[in-house]
Amino acid sequence: MSPTDRWLPNTSYALLGLLSLGGELSGYDLKRWADASIRFFYWSPVQSQIYGELRRLARLGLVTSRRVEQTTRPAKTLFSISPAGGEELRRWLEEAPVEPLVLKHPVALRLFFGQSARPERLRELLEQYAAENEATIAALAMASNALTRSNAPSGPGLVAAWGEQIYGAEREAIRRALEGLPPGPA
Amino acid sequence: MSPTDRWLPNTSYALLGLLSLGGELSGYDLKRWADASIRFFYWSPVQSQIYGELRRLARLGLVTSRRVEQTTRPAKTLFSISPAGGEELRRWLEEAPVEPLVLKHPVALRLFFGQSARPERLRELLEQYAAENEATIAALAMASNALTRSNAPSGPGLVAAWGEQIYGAEREAIRRALEGLPPGPA
DNA sequence: GCCAGCATGTAAGGAGTTACATGATTAT
DNA sequence: ATAATCATGTAACTCCTTACATGCTGGC
C-alpha cells in the first residue's frame, strides 16, 4: 500500500484477518469461516466477492496462493497471508479511522412505521424475529465454543462475549416490544 | 407497483414512512428527520440519494410534490405521500420479506483480529468507541423525548426504547471488554 | 468578512448483490 | 434419484458514497 491510496475496503481486512488466524484457506473455506465468526458482528460477504477480493489481495502481494490438485475433488487454490499482508493488517489496526457502527434493523424499521400496519402483523413480525434471534444466539454459542476452546480471552473470545451481549439485548427488546404492543391475542 | 417488479429498496420505504408521519417535507427536511430517527436503528442515507429516491417515488406516483417559492430563501420542493404511496407502504409492511439484521461493528471487527494489534491500541479503540456510544445515547434520548411527547407508545416510542436497550448493551459490552483486556494502564 | 444553515442537485465510481454456469462426490 | 457439499468463477446490475457545484441569509 502506497501512502497515497490509503485504505482497502473493510472486506479486504476481514479476509486478511481470517487468514492471519487460520493458516492456509481456500475461498470456499473463507466463506465458511466468515459465516461462523465475523458474520455475527460484521456481515458475511457472498462467495463471488470473496474470490474477487482474493484476486485483488494477490495482485497487491498481500496474500500468496498455492494451487492444490486433488484426486477425488476438483483442484483448489489455497491462500496464505504474506509478510506484507501482515504489515498491512497491523497498519490498518493501528492507523485506519474507525467508521461508526452501522445497524440495519429491518424489524425496528417496520415497527417505527407501525402506524400503517395492523397490530397483529407487528406481533407476527416480532415473533418471527424472536425465533431468528434465538437461532442466532444458538449459532453464536456453538461458534463461540469452537473459538474460545484454544485461545485465551483474546480477540475471538472477547468478541463472542460481545455478541452474546448484543443478541441478549435483542431478546429483551423483543420481549418489551411485545408487551408494549396494543391488544394481545390471548 | 406492478406485481412483477416486487419491491423498492428499503430506503424508498423509509422515506415513504417518514412522509407518512410527517406531512409535507423537503428533501432537506427528510435528511434531518432521518438523522434524528431512523439513523439510530437503520442508518441515514446521504442527501444526494434522498433527492434521487424522491424523483423515483414521484415518477411512480407514490409521492406528490409542490414547488414553494420563497421571498428570502431559495425555492424548495415539498413532498407528500400520495394515496398510492400509502398503499405501497402498507403493502410493504404486510407482505415484504423481512431481511436479516445487519450489524457492522467496526470496533468488534478490529477486536476480533486483536492478536495483530498492540493491547494499548485496543484499549484506545474501546475508549474512543465508548465516548461515541455515550454521545449516541444522549442524542437518542433527546430524539426520543421529541418523538414520544405526542405519540402513544406506538411506533416511534417502541423503537426509541429499543434503541436505548441496544446502546445500553453496547455500553455494558465495552465495559466488559475493557476488563477482559490484558494489562491495564493504572 | 466568514462560517453555518438552508436547499438542490450532477457525475463518477466502488462495493456488493443476484443470477448464472460448471462439475465431481458423498450422503439420504 | 436427488440433494448437499466441495470449489470456482463471470456478467449484469443496483445501491450508495464521495466529491463537486451553486447561491442566498443570518449570526458572530
Side-chain angles (χ1 to χ4, degrees), chain A residues 81-92:
Chain A
I81 192 167
S82 71
E87 286 242 359
E88 177 62 13
L89 182 61
R90 278 186 292 279
R91 189 179 77 92
W92 173 69

Side-chain angles (χ1 to χ4, degrees), chain B residues 1 5 8 12 54-63 82 84-85:
Chain B
M1 292 279 91
D5 56 348
L8 297 167
S12 302
L54 284 171
R55 275 195 296 276
R56 161 159 49 184
L57 293 173
R59 186 165 42 77
L60 295 173
L62 303 178
V63 301
S82 72

Side-chain angles (χ1 to χ4, degrees), chain B residues 134-166:
Chain B
E134 293 305 319
T136 303
I137 289 175
L140 176 57
M142 244 182 288
S144 166
N145 275 344
L147 287 171
T148 49
R149 196 168 304 154
S150 46
N151 304 67
S154 75
L158 273 179
V159 175
W162 198 305
E164 277 153 21
Q165 186 79 20
I166 290 175

Side-chain angles (χ1 to χ4, degrees), chain A residues 2-185:
Chain A
S2 65
T4 46
D5 57 348
R6 322 188 187 322
W7 305 109
L8 296 167
N10 273 357
T11 306
S12 302
Y13 296 104
L15 294 181
L16 233 35
L18 285 176
L19 288 172
S20 85
L21 301 173
E24 265 193 320
L25 299 171
S26 68
Y28 191 87
D29 293 333
L30 279 165
K31 173 59 176 163
R32 277 174 38 250
W33 281 113
D35 282 346
S37 57
I38 53 179
R39 92 115 200 274
F40 292 110
F41 51 89
Y42 204 90
W43 121 105
S44 190
V46 294
Q47 283 278 7
S48 59
Q49 201 192 351
I50 290 179
Y51 290 111
E53 276 310 325
L54 285 171
R55 275 195 295 275
R56 162 159 46 185
L57 293 173
R59 186 165 41 78
L60 295 172
L62 303 178
V63 300
T64 57
S65 61
R66 186 168 71 89
R67 188 99 185 139
V68 176
E69 302 295 334
Q70 297 175 116
T71 50
T72 70
R73 294 281 179 189
K76 61 179 169 181
T77 308
L78 293 180
F79 294 86
S80 316
I81 192 167
S82 71
E87 286 242 359
E88 177 62 13
L89 182 61
R90 278 186 292 279
R91 189 179 77 92
W92 173 69
L93 285 167
E94 273 307 317
E95 299 172 24
V98 180
E99 316 86 64
L101 174 68
V102 173
L103 187 61
K104 282 196 177 193
H105 203 312
V107 175
L109 184 64
R110 283 161 173 82
L111 218 52
F112 191 71
F113 302 127
Q115 221 180 41
S116 298
R118 296 172 307 118
E120 311 92 70
R121 171 61 175 162
L122 297 181
R123 183 170 295 275
E124 189 188 316
L125 286 171
L126 282 169
E127 273 157 8
Q128 248 178 49
Y129 178 56
E132 271 167 48
N133 190 56
E134 292 307 318
T136 303
I137 288 175
L140 176 57
M142 245 181 289
S144 167
N145 276 343
L147 287 171
T148 50
R149 195 167 306 157
S150 46
N151 305 69
S154 75
L158 273 178
V159 175
W162 198 305
E164 277 153 21
Q165 187 80 20
I166 289 176
Y167 293 103
E170 283 294 288
R171 178 192 273 156
E172 181 61 15
I174 294 165
R175 205 186 54 70
R176 291 194 194 175
L178 279 170
E179 261 176 23
L181 229 50

Side-chain angles (χ1 to χ4, degrees), chain B residues 70-88:
Chain B
Q70 297 175 115
T71 50
T72 71
R73 294 281 178 189
K76 63 179 168 181
T77 307
L78 294 180
F79 293 86
S80 317
I81 191 168
S82 72
E87 286 238 2
E88 178 61 15

